[in-house]
Amino acid sequence: MLELSAAVAGLATGGAYALIGLSVLLTYRLVAVVDFAQASVGAFGAFSMVALLDADLALPLAVLAGLVVGALVHMGLGLVMVRWFAEAGEGVKAAVTIAVYLGLVAAGLRLFGTHPQAFPKPFDSPAATVGGVVVTWTAVVTMLLAVLFAVLPTVLLGRTRTGLLLRAMSERPTTAELIGIRVPRLSLVVWGVAGAASALGIMIVAPTLAGDFGSQSMLVTPALAAALVGAFRSFTWTFVGGVGLGVLQGVAGVVESLRQYRGVLPFVVILAVLVWTRRRDRWDTAA
């Protein structure tokens, strides 16, 4: 029963991992950038929300403002990519996002301090009881948002004209611009949506984790682990990877021998996926 309760509690964290991981995947699929700055951008939005709450702004307006901050900060990074690195390789673009990540962490610690912040818990009440285990509204809302963010891009890319334009933009940006697609404008929209989604994911998961800016920025690690499970292509498997990692960490938290290793589980998943995906090359070389 204790393990089941921990697994259910891990659904909220896993849903947030999935939401940020899906944002990473969306950025990669549509603008061809592995974005290491995604979680720090989301943390900027989430901590802006807390600052506005402390200034007596109503919660819905503070949440909306935090999402706008996350979107604008990410659009700023997107503008840099569009203007100066549009033709650069994936390695160069990833290096730029790492530099931006470090800059945002430094700026965030300067602006919001190193001490934990008190995040609101509007969905902390019980939603249902399953097998004697209480499921909170936080877990329900997080899972619904993650499912929505996994389904919408899949439908958009596979079944709509806008999705066709977005795929053309991601695969042949120069050619797409020559045939009249407004690549810079579409790119900035993608960067903005992904930034707002990251901010929303961190707003939800922040009350259950360490509430300081540095710890929230490190959520990029489980997000990248989830995106790797989806091979940086599948929205469905990225969702499964994020939720599975959250549940795994929840169960590990109640097992005495595993509790101290919870924090390294995302790195273990990343290493396992990388080794698994390279197995055929290694076996072919050995043969």
Side-chain angles (χ1 to χ4, degrees), residues 21 24 27 33 38 69-71 80 93 122 125 132 136 169 190-191 206 210 232 235 270 273 283:
V24 171
T27 306
V33 177
Q38 197 104 31
V69 169
V80 171
K93 292 178 180 177
S125 57
T136 65
M169 180 190 73
V190 171
W191 283 96
F232 275 89
F235 288 95
I270 289 173
V273 172
W283 291 346

Side-chain angles (χ1 to χ4, degrees), residues 15-276:
Y17 289 169
L19 195 56
I20 303 172
L22 289 164
S23 303
V24 171
L25 177 59
L26 185 71
T27 306
Y28 179 75
R29 286 285 303 274
L30 298 185
V31 294
V33 177
V34 179
D35 187 4
F36 288 86
Q38 197 104 31
S40 58
V41 169
F44 241 88
F47 278 76
S48 297
M49 176 199 71
V50 173
L52 291 171
L53 282 176
D54 291 342
D56 293 330
L57 192 67
L59 179 60
L61 293 177
V63 170
L64 181 60
L67 297 181
V68 171
V69 169
L72 290 178
V73 172
H74 213 218
M75 288 173 75
L77 173 56
L79 188 61
V80 171
M81 288 295 182
V82 169
R83 282 185 175 273
W84 287 288
F85 298 97
E87 300 299 329
E90 289 186 6
V92 173
K93 292 178 180 177
V96 172
T97 68
I98 291 173
V100 171
Y101 162 74
L102 295 174
L104 287 176
V105 170
L109 292 175
R110 180 75 176 175
L111 288 172
F112 304 112
T114 58
H115 54 282
Q117 301 281 349
F119 279 81
K121 302 177 181 179
F123 305 116
D124 207 32
S125 57
T129 302
V130 180
V133 177
V134 175
V135 180
T136 65
W137 279 109
T138 300
V140 174
V141 171
T142 308
M143 291 297 294
L144 288 176
L145 286 173
V147 169
L148 190 65
F149 210 72
V151 171
L152 282 181
T154 304
V155 174
L156 177 69
L157 291 174
R159 298 178 181 277
T160 67
R161 174 174 168 74
T162 303
L164 182 64
L165 297 178
L166 288 169
R167 279 189 290 154
M169 180 190 73
S170 65
E171 294 175 7
R172 295 284 190 275
T174 303
T175 306
E177 197 161 10
L178 287 174
I179 63 175
I181 298 175
R182 295 178 176 178
V183 173
R185 183 178 298 181
L186 275 177
S187 296
L188 289 180
V189 171
V190 171
W191 283 96
V193 170
S198 297
L200 183 60
I202 290 184
M203 287 176 190
I204 293 170
V205 77
T208 63
L209 301 175
D212 62 283
F213 190 91
S215 299
Q216 302 301 329
S217 296
M218 285 297 293
L219 288 175
V220 71
T221 307
L224 288 172
L228 268 174
V229 171
F232 275 89
R233 292 207 56 80
S234 169
F235 288 95
T236 301
W237 280 105
T238 298
F239 169 79
V240 172
V243 174
L245 182 56
V247 171
L248 193 62
Q249 283 188 321
V251 173
V254 297
V255 179
E256 183 66 29
S257 57
L258 297 177
R259 186 175 303 159
Q260 59 183 323
Y261 301 111
R262 289 181 61 197
V264 303
L265 284 175
F267 296 99
V268 173
V269 170
I270 289 173
L271 182 61
V273 172
L274 290 177
V275 170
W276 177 254

